[in-house]
Amino acid sequence: MKWGGILGITALLMLIILYEWPKLKKNIRKMQVVFFTVITIGWVLAILLILFPNMPGPSQLIDFIFKPIGRYWEIS
Amino acid sequence: MIEKGKISSFQMALIMYAVVVATAILYIPFITAQQAKRDLWLSPLWAALSGFLIVLIITKLYKLYPKKTLVEYSELILGRTFGKIIGFIFLFFLLYDTAIAFREYGEFVESAFLHKTPIVVVTGGIALTCAFAVHGGIEVLGRSATVFLPIVLVLYVMIYLFLIPDLNVKNIFPIMEDGWIPSVKGSLAPHAWLSQFSLLSFLLPLLSDETKAMKWSILSVIVSVLTMVYINLGNIFLFGGIITNTQFPVFQAARYISIGSFFEHVESIVIAVWVLGGFVQLSAFFYMLVLGTSQWLKLPSYKPIILPFGFLIILFSIWSASSFQEMIHSMGTTTPFYFISIQLLIPMLLLCVAVFRKKLRQAK
């Protein structure tokens, strides 16, 4: 199940790369670097989310930062 | 300039209306009712304050730095390093905001219609559709807003007009039973939604008639607030005290419609039309995110990064909350503070520094 998910994600990202590559090839170097960086971030994050579905994320950080003021708002 | 297309101020107002109201009408009544109880219709009126304030700040900033978006002028105001940091914080917020909007859309469609479909399929489908719209540029967004939003707006009004026989005006009483504090507390979520008017900053440089920008954006805030008040009033008239337990009151209300026992089950039409508004909203978010990112990185075009960012948005939308209940809970307690502190405090800080710098320059 998990391997299937990882394979599916990889296949999807490969499709995106294949779709964009003909146009990207003529583009400047910086564009290509940004494109592949975003793809890599997405790939790593997707695999992490498949392996650890309950991984703490930005929401937990926001909860941690704003919890005191949120609690004050709820009670008073 | 990355974007060559132009939109009119009227189209800008429609896009901003979709950005705020499309998900607001689904979630605002439930979240607001938790704190405000029967005064939930007063809460959007308090929230209008932050809407007006943000529009004033953003248009003022735009006058100081014409033809620039927030990501671009933050570098000019605070210098390269701090400007980039502020830009990153804002863009990360925008990514999170976009992801939440996709999640809200997915949760609604799933709980209303597609009970057994995995949420990734629902959000992924709309993300692909939005990617095509974003690829077309701002003019496509502006035109889809002009075509779709009048229909959506008529729908919002019609739902409660059809329910007039069932509405009980007495449900609204007693008004302000415990003073005005509960309605102010309930206004937290509407504040967060209306603070999204800071995204106006990405649309202002694309206008063909800038002189009318201020008028139309203020009008957009007013109409958004009035829509929320209208929806909340309709819900309190229809549901009364049980409003605090109804998760999607607008959808429940649509189910309730029955005229002469032949005009029934209109909820499928309601969802179909609502999805049009949701589409405009999500593509606007998506567009601003990729445009802002390519301005932040000084890229020549935003088109190649649309699909990778779409993928990232879907990931964040799954990551942002583990369940529907958790999402609703954080939307009523902590997330609004995040929204307000990023979208109100960052433009305020930028405006203070910009005005100070201008004074300093004139004194020399």
Side-chain angles (χ1 to χ4, degrees):
Chain A
M1 181 61 212
K2 279 180 178 169
W3 284 108
I6 292 171
L7 272 178
I9 295 285
T10 316
L12 184 69
L13 287 174
M14 285 311 266
L15 278 178
I16 294 180
I17 293 172
L18 279 179
Y19 178 75
E20 292 286 356
W21 185 241
K23 277 171 275 168
L24 204 62
K25 212 163 47 178
K26 298 179 202 116
N27 225 317
I28 57 163
R29 182 110 187 109
K30 195 176 177 187
M31 194 84 229
Q32 297 171 354
V33 172
V34 172
F35 178 81
F36 282 106
T37 316
V38 179
I39 288 270
T40 318
I41 294 172
W43 187 67
V44 172
L45 191 59
I47 287 177
L48 282 175
L49 279 174
I50 290 172
L51 296 177
F52 314 102
N54 293 320
M55 186 170 61
S59 302
Q60 276 70 26
L61 182 69
I62 293 162
D63 264 1
F64 176 74
I65 296 173
F66 294 103
K67 191 143 243 173
I69 183 167
R71 202 180 294 142
Y72 177 77
W73 189 268
E74 253 179 306
I75 297 164
S76 65
Chain B
M1 280 291 276
I2 297 171
E3 174 65 61
K4 295 197 173 58
K6 291 275 173 202
I7 52 170
S8 67
S9 306
F10 174 64
Q11 286 171 327
M12 176 198 74
L14 283 180
I15 292 175
M16 287 318 294
Y17 177 80
V19 160
V20 173
V21 171
T23 45
I25 63 151
L26 294 180
Y27 292 91
I28 289 276
F30 179 68
I31 298 172
T32 310
Q34 301 305 315
Q35 298 272 355
K37 304 282 185 291
R38 276 165 201 274
D39 292 337
L40 80 167
W41 60 280
L42 285 168
S43 300
L45 295 175
W46 297 111
L49 293 175
S50 67
F52 290 135
L53 188 60
I54 286 176
V55 168
L56 286 180
I57 293 172
I58 293 288
T59 41
K60 186 85 192 150
L61 271 170
Y62 183 70
K63 274 197 192 114
L64 289 173
Y65 295 90
K67 295 287 168 204
K68 294 266 190 292
T69 66
L70 197 145
V71 180
E72 287 173 313
Y73 54 63
S74 74
E75 256 178 77
L76 294 175
I77 293 172
L78 297 173
R80 205 177 141 81
T81 324
F82 281 108
K84 285 275 186 213
I85 293 171
I86 290 287
F88 178 78
I89 293 174
F90 197 82
L91 285 173
F92 186 81
F93 161 79
L94 192 50
L95 176 62
Y96 186 78
D97 194 1
T98 313
I100 291 262
F102 271 84
R103 179 66 180 258
E104 285 162 356
Y105 169 87
E107 290 284 0
F108 172 63
V109 171
E110 194 176 65
S111 66
F113 251 16
L114 309 167
H115 302 288
K116 290 187 178 169
T117 319
I119 193 162
V120 186
V121 178
V122 178
T123 49
I126 193 80
L128 195 62
T129 324
C130 292
F132 286 120
V134 174
H135 211 273
I138 188 69
E139 288 190 351
V140 172
L141 286 190
R143 282 180 199 163
S144 50
T146 19
V147 174
F148 293 152
L149 277 179
I151 311 173
V152 177
L153 194 59
V154 168
L155 169 95
Y156 293 161
V157 177
M158 287 304 258
I159 292 175
Y160 294 98
L161 286 187
F162 281 134
L163 283 169
I164 282 178
D166 298 308
L167 296 184
N168 181 6
V169 182
K170 282 191 185 136
N171 278 338
I172 201 178
F173 299 112
I175 297 171
M176 296 208 217
E177 195 180 6
D178 303 316
W180 48 279
I181 296 292
S183 68
V184 173
K185 274 177 154 185
S187 73
L188 190 59
H191 268 297
W193 254 277
L194 281 167
S195 71
Q196 283 167 339
F197 267 92
S198 73
L199 302 178
L200 208 61
S201 158
F202 289 100
L203 296 179
L204 284 175
L206 308 170
L207 292 184
S208 54
D209 47 348
E210 281 165 21
T211 42
K212 293 182 199 150
M214 183 74 179
K215 188 184 86 186
W216 278 110
S217 27
I218 290 288
L219 203 66
S220 183
V221 177
I222 293 172
V223 177
S224 311
V225 171
L226 287 183
T227 315
M228 287 189 213
V229 171
Y230 175 77
I231 296 282
N232 281 356
L233 268 180
N235 283 324
I236 191 73
F237 288 162
L238 184 66
F239 293 105
I242 61 163
I243 183 80
T244 48
N245 302 323
T246 322
Q247 257 168 7
F248 293 116
V250 177
F251 179 62
Q252 296 291 343
R255 270 199 178 150
Y256 219 80
I257 295 174
S258 162
I259 295 171
S261 76
F262 68 91
F263 190 68
E264 285 179 335
H265 290 291
V266 289
E267 72 259 25
S268 43
I269 302 174
V270 168
I271 294 183
V273 175
W274 181 83
V275 164
L276 294 178
F279 164 73
V280 175
Q281 178 200 33
L282 297 176
S283 5
F285 270 125
F286 200 163
Y287 176 79
M288 290 164 190
L289 177 64
V290 287
L291 184 72
T293 313
S294 44
Q295 282 171 342
W296 187 64
L297 292 166
K298 299 218 161 53
L299 297 175
S301 159
Y302 63 85
K303 280 175 184 165
I305 57 170
I306 291 173
L307 285 177
F309 262 93
F311 186 75
L312 210 59
I313 289 169
I314 299 301
L315 284 184
F316 266 76
S317 77
I318 300 161
W319 201 16
S320 59
S322 59
S323 68
F324 179 70
Q325 277 71 26
E326 196 192 300
M327 186 179 86
I328 288 281
H329 180 74
S330 73
M331 256 197 266
T333 51
T334 49
T335 316
F337 289 110
Y338 179 51
F339 274 57
I340 295 164
S341 56
I342 297 284
Q343 302 195 99
L344 192 56
L345 293 186
I346 284 184
M348 251 184 199
L349 171 88
L350 288 177
L351 184 63
C352 290
V353 178
V355 168
F356 187 70
R357 282 192 109 164
K358 200 182 165 197
K359 286 266 159 66
L360 216 61
R361 218 180 305 137
Q362 280 167 351
K364 264 181 197 170

